[in-house]
Amino acid sequence: YCGRDCQRSHWNTHRPRCQEIQRQATAASYFQGEMPQSFIFCSHCGNHFMMCGCTGLEHGQGMYYVLPEVSRSMPREDRLERFTVLVKNHPRLGQFDAKRMLMGIGGYPEIISRLDRADPIVKRFMEAYKTSTQFTEGHPMNLMDAEGLAQCRSDCDLAIRQFFAANWGHIKLFEWYMLNNAIQTQSNPEDFTGADLVALQTVINIV
């Protein structure tokens, strides 16, 4: 919760589910203690929590289901495993078989190999996207002032860093949107052959 008052006001809603939430946390024994707190990111106050009433908005408005950021020292294979475990045990996301999707791509070593190959390509797309008319004029960002656009460009950089660290759960919906737009608007599949094209397609599939 973002504060004690918010936590207390939500207690009557949270109390019936408290034991079930603790059971789910124990089930995710690989990363015990992370499930399922910090699954909601509030775009209004910029915090992660289970549920928050601080904005006065109805449930779900301006909130994205994400995973908390992890230490940079965690190996990427462990980050991928963490992602699949937490998604599987999440009460709303559990119907998505994340591990099956990743194994279908070729398993963790193959995914990481493709990400390493795609990293400089997508970074180049993102840099071009941040200065393109699609970024400044092509969607609602054109209503933002200079400070807002600077923040959006910073979010682009964050999306790149987190994506290629395989820390996917931390990337918010808006950042996924910008990552996808950069790839779709700045890339030309005819410019790539072989392994580069496979790596790029893998990135698109994951997004």
Side-chain angles (χ1 to χ4, degrees):
Y1 296 91
C2 62
R4 182 178 296 273
D5 291 341
C6 183
Q7 182 179 8
R8 285 179 171 174
S9 68
H10 189 248
W11 173 243
N12 288 338
T13 302
H14 168 64
R15 184 175 183 177
R17 291 197 60 236
C18 190
Q19 289 185 342
E20 174 63 16
I21 287 170
Q22 304 240 356
R23 185 195 66 77
Q24 292 170 350
T26 302
S29 58
Y30 191 87
F31 301 104
Q32 189 170 0
E34 285 194 311
M35 232 306 294
Q37 64 263 29
S38 296
F39 262 111
I40 292 182
F41 174 84
C42 177
S43 62
H44 297 276
C45 66
N47 290 316
H48 296 81
F49 36 73
M50 210 172 56
M51 185 59 202
C52 182
C54 65
T55 64
L57 297 175
E58 294 182 5
H59 172 65
Q61 289 185 316
M63 297 181 182
Y64 311 121
Y65 288 97
V66 298
L67 312 183
E69 188 171 3
V70 297
S71 168
R72 293 185 179 182
S73 63
M74 178 182 285
R76 285 195 290 182
E77 290 89 343
D78 289 350
R79 294 182 184 217
L80 295 173
E81 181 67 14
R82 169 181 179 267
F83 173 77
T84 63
V85 169
L86 293 178
V87 167
K88 180 180 179 180
N89 286 276
H90 189 273
R92 294 178 183 267
L93 303 180
Q95 294 181 12
F96 168 55
D97 192 342
K99 188 154 193 172
R100 181 178 180 183
M101 181 198 78
L102 298 184
M103 293 301 104
I105 292 175
Y108 297 163
E110 177 64 19
I111 291 170
I112 290 171
S113 174
R114 294 185 191 184
L115 291 181
D116 286 341
R117 181 176 288 271
D119 188 347
I121 301 172
V122 179
K123 282 180 178 176
R124 188 171 74 246
F125 294 161
M126 185 66 86
E127 287 303 312
Y129 177 61
K130 288 192 296 185
T131 59
S132 70
T133 56
Q134 290 101 333
F135 185 87
T136 57
E137 301 174 8
H139 45 68
M141 284 191 209
N142 64 356
L143 301 177
M144 293 186 181
D145 57 17
E147 183 178 354
L149 285 171
Q151 180 60 52
C152 289
R153 291 189 173 99
S154 176
D155 284 349
C156 285
D157 295 333
L158 174 65
I160 286 288
R161 288 197 306 272
Q162 299 289 12
F163 185 88
F164 286 104
N167 192 14
W168 300 333
H170 185 69
I171 307 177
K172 301 187 292 296
L173 182 63
F174 190 55
E175 290 155 4
W176 283 116
Y177 167 79
M178 292 189 294
L179 181 60
N180 179 70
N181 272 17
I183 296 171
Q184 298 288 356
T185 62
Q186 303 302 316
S187 63
N188 182 357
E190 295 177 358
D191 295 338
F192 303 98
T193 58
D196 284 345
L197 187 58
V198 170
L200 185 59
Q201 186 63 49
T202 300
V203 172
I204 294 172
N205 287 342
I206 292 171
V207 172

